Amino acid sequence: MTTWKERLKDEIPLEMAKLIDTYEAQMSLRQQGKMDEKVFAEARLRKGVYGQRYDNGQRHDGVRTQALAYPSEDIVKGPDTLWDAPGMQRIKIPYGGLSARQLDVLSELADEYADGILHITTRQDIQLHYVHIDDTPDLMRRLAAVGITTQEACGNSVRNITACSLAGVCHDEAFDVSPYADAMTQFLLAHDDVQDFGRKFKVAFSGCAGQACGLVKMHDLGLLAQSREVAGELQRGFTVFVGGGLGTVPHQAKALADFVTPEQLLPLTQAIARVFARLGEKKNRNRARLKFLVAKLGIDEFRSLVEAELAALPHDPRHTAYLDNVRDFVYEPAKAGLQLNGAPLPEGFDEWYRSNVYRQVQAGYSVVTLHTPLGDFTAQQGFQLADIARKYVGDNIRLTVEQNIVLRWVADADLPALCRDLRKIGLGDAHAGSIVDITTCPGTDTCKLGIASSRGLTAELRTRLIERINLLPDAVRELKIKVSGCFNSCGQHHVADIGFFGNSRRSGNHKLPHFQVVLGGQWQQNAGNYGLAVGAVPAKTVPAVLAALTERYVAERAEDQNFQSWVKQLGRKEIKAMLKPFMQLPTFEDNPAFFSDWGDSRVYTIEDIGVGECAGEVVSLFSMEISKAESTHFEALLALDDGDFRRADERAYRAMVLAARALVRTKYLDVGDDNDRIVNEFRERFYDTELVYDRFAKGKFARYLFKRHAGQPSLLDEDYAHQIIDETQLFIENIHSAEQRINGVIVA
Amino acid sequence: MQTVPKRLAMKLNLARAPQLQPADIVPIFQRWIQQRTVPGLLIDVIDYKHVPDGPGVVLVADEADYAWDLGAGQAGLRYIRKRALPDDLSAALRLCWAGALAAAQALEAEAPGDIVFDYQLVEISYLDRLQYPNDRQVAATALAALATSLQEIFGTKLQLQRLHDDPRYLLAFHCVAGRSLADSLPSPARAD
Ligand code: HEM
Ligand code: SF4
């Protein structure tokens, strides 16, 4: 029986294939108990394979906590995370850009491996939920075959790089940031310098300062496009921001450099990554994001460290090689741009046009926004949308940070027909970007840290608001609502006009789901201001709270006064007073409905909250790298079982080189990936100095590597393959003990 | 003998639109978890009723999901067997039938007279594009094998029709019988 691995072997780029093979080998090692669970957890997260609620093997069913006895019992895929428990697969979609073919494949995977739903995240990713870990290698291969990777979608590394969904077609941008976001994605992916972070690292690009789309101010690294005139010529560059972030303690990013040229962009980023890897907090997970390092050092000190690092950076041709691609970066519209031509319009077209259509800077073309409720769409809609894209826009599809989809390069003349086609597949609703278009994190539905049901609340508010949308004044219609299930703010509630995040309160012996109300955050100006927390209300009162707030806003606002300014004017005290009546807690007997969450009939409990994996596992760089050597050794064993002795030899040799490299990198990060160089550095630093010597065998194990490095034997038979695999095993063991002797006890 | 697809789903459609709304299914499925009403390691309930023609409300279990499915605009019960499928196609079909039937009957008991299934029709899909890509040749072979197995299981001949010919869609068949399949072999208890 053929496998996806065989079927797709000619379609997957070699480097991607290797990364997936390594991960698959690590899975086997973990199942056999031969790989540390924390190291595996971090390796898994760096493949975008995330835990999900109830994966610790228990769930409260509303009456009692039930044990979930999964078949593979106590095999875990991370601390307290059971192997068979369904999980989430996050899939990186750099700057949200998708082709029709990619959308097809994502949809196929959703109905084969998940629950038939594709979920768009607040960082332009796609997530599939309820995926079994055993299916993840094939899932990754099928994605890789169409140029999509899940590498570093989660874990302590560089996450998906986001950018304005209007980049390239926008009236306000300095220039199109897409090719730069693309180049940075490629450059940083699996890069050596992004493997030793204490926490995740998020990058965003924006084409202008005034709009929201790029959200650069809330990112670890934000790049804002600027152009300036030098000797009569327009020069491109970026203002670089660092140390922004949401989470429990939101920080606005600080300007690191006013103008960085495209030639300097990647080296500067690499230097920042190095400083973060070297000096960022590794132990205290709550203070490990770059924002804390920048705050601790001060931006000036941080800047000089980065400058020093930059000066010492080894030359890399890739720093500038991408510039050719930037020059060649063009969009291919499916049709010629034609104005609307008086063809009959579908009913409700004007309304849809007002809210969902953006006139591109290119005459005759528009961007159309498709509103996906709660960020969800079905596999079937995915196929149908891919067809619609092919018909009207080709591959010009992007996901947005508001959990929507945009089709770009729609010929204006096609708008009425496109509107009709989108309605047929349930993606033609008006009011995109309005108050009904609520952003939400996964919350208690699937997130282990969820305290209240952000999706349940969003679904409820959405239904109620849609019913009344035509009665709402424009000032209310334009407001943005964003909901998170807890203080971690994955739903970006800090940057909404009206934000909510889940928490809980007690009444008698019972807990009630609550939402903290956060008002007056700013979406514009790249998330220029964070909102004000004004008090927590029971989840079930939120619709009433929303009504009270918006009614008062409409009644009291000065003409043209926006929500932020009105909130500021009203002040926290006054708003608190206004919310007070909603904060009264009923007893369970009086109003049991308050003791269940939205969309959930169970009596509310916080017992299901688990340990989230957002912070990944802090494992040393050495542990991560030596585990790759171990899984490569495992691949050699598999090759031996298959009778493929040539491959067994190649994998064993590679495993030894990787192990040597892991040790060398504890002293010399820049060793690179050239075998000769690695072996030389290893010899000089660890063998000649006898640091790697075993107490009894002395340098014997190290010499296994030297022997193989000197050349492949002429006869590659089974005996030889056995022997080199055994030697590799001993070599890896030797590296482990040497590392402990040299560097002291390491984490995990 | 045909290999068994990696995952196999069966959907039973409702005979007519019920009063009951998809939102009413959430508490029912949640109670099923409390009371272990249907077979399997029941994990959680997810609500996707906000997406049109989607999976509706899903009771997720380890081996199989039970969905109050709204696919193709037709409400029904879809049983999606994900793991631990027997090696033999007939055995796998029996297992899925038992699961689908158990859940359909349990749902009928929740709202007698309102929820009524049409047991003459079952929609079977192969969730395995590696072994069962949705092309004409594979479909023809699969259809023949499926027809034989179904006749053996139910003791009656079913009319089979391929659902989609778009290669991206799952290979799936409408299977129609001349009589209700509910009381033919096997009863849920015996099958699992
Ligand atoms: C301590 C733990 C966590 C923290 C501090 C955290 C923080 C954040 C923040 C601040 C964002 C969004 C905004 C941004 O920076 O662009 C985000 C994105 C997100 N988070 Fe979390 N999060 C945590 C755990 C989780 C967990 C356990 C889940 C559920 C599985 C989750 C799901 C998401 C999703 C779906 C996104 C959208 C993102 C993407 O595609 O990267 N987060 N997280
Ligand atoms: S905000 Fe909280 S509940 Fe929502 S996804 Fe993030 S960690 Fe989970």
Side-chain angles (χ1 to χ4, degrees), chain A residues 438-576:
Chain A
I438 305 173
T439 304
T440 176
C441 79
T444 46
D445 276 15
T446 53
C447 173
K448 296 206 246 188
L449 298 171
I451 303 178
S453 178
S454 45
R455 281 169 59 92
L457 175 65
T458 299
E460 183 65 28
L461 291 178
R462 209 181 147 262
T463 311
R464 293 180 187 223
L465 287 165
I466 286 175
E467 277 169 14
R468 308 184 47 230
I469 185 78
N470 291 325
L471 305 172
L472 296 176
D474 282 350
V476 173
R477 239 196 254 200
E478 286 160 8
L479 295 177
K480 283 199 188 298
I481 302 180
K482 294 182 187 284
V483 189
S484 302
C486 80
F487 45 76
N488 281 319
S489 62
C490 309
Q492 305 175 335
H493 58 260
H494 296 290
V495 291
D497 296 298
I498 304 176
F500 298 101
F501 73 85
N503 56 18
S504 72
R505 296 280 188 274
R506 198 165 70 115
S507 169
N509 289 328
H510 286 88
K511 288 215 150 65
L512 297 81
H514 270 62
F515 279 94
Q516 176 71 236
V517 183
V518 181
L519 297 180
Q522 194 182 21
W523 183 244
Q524 298 302 310
Q525 307 281 337
N526 278 289
N529 255 306
Y530 299 148
L532 199 66
V534 290
V537 297
K540 289 289 166 84
T541 65
V542 171
V545 168
L546 182 63
L549 273 167
T550 50
E551 277 161 27
R552 184 154 174 194
Y553 168 55
V554 173
E556 291 181 1
R557 71 192 275 263
E559 213 186 325
D560 288 340
Q561 186 176 26
N562 71 13
F563 195 76
Q564 280 86 35
S565 131
W566 176 73
V567 165
K568 214 180 230 166
Q569 181 187 319
L570 204 59
R572 194 195 291 252
K573 216 164 134 200
E574 184 58 33
I575 297 173
K576 261 213 142 118

Side-chain angles (χ1 to χ4, degrees), chain A residues 1-4 7 54 59 61-64 66 68-71 84 86 104 108 111-115 117 130 132 135 142 373-374 376-378 380-381 383-384 386-387 390 426 445 455 599-602, chain B residues 3 6-7 26-28 30-31 33-36 41-55 58 60-62 65 72 78 82-83 126-131 133 164 166-170:
Chain A
M1 192 173 79
T2 136
T3 59
W4 281 114
R7 171 78 60 88
Y54 316 123
R59 176 182 181 276
D61 64 15
V63 178
R64 64 185 186 285
Q66 280 195 24
L68 300 173
Y70 292 105
D84 282 324
D104 277 337
E108 288 183 1
D111 67 12
E112 242 173 287
Y113 299 126
D115 50 17
I117 292 289
Y130 298 93
H132 195 288
D135 292 329
R142 292 169 74 178
L374 279 61
D376 294 342
F377 61 102
T378 64
Q380 161 112 1
Q381 285 178 311
F383 296 136
Q384 293 166 326
D387 289 341
R390 287 187 180 99
D445 276 15
R455 281 169 59 92
D600 196 339
S601 63
R602 290 175 293 174
Chain B
T3 47
K6 198 167 148 53
R7 292 180 173 197
V26 175
I28 293 176
Q30 288 186 330
R31 182 159 37 74
I33 297 181
Q34 282 165 6
Q35 299 171 355
R36 307 191 181 184
L41 172 59
L42 308 180
I43 303 172
D44 197 16
V45 180
I46 0 162
D47 180 350
Y48 288 127
K49 63 177 185 299
H50 50 276
V51 285
D53 296 356
V58 190
V60 182
D62 175 59
D65 294 343
R78 187 161 183 252
K82 304 182 288 186
R83 293 160 61 73
Y126 291 59
L127 288 77
D128 184 347
R129 289 182 177 86
L130 181 68
Q131 297 184 78
H164 316 276
D166 183 327
R168 296 168 303 175
Y169 285 64
L170 292 171

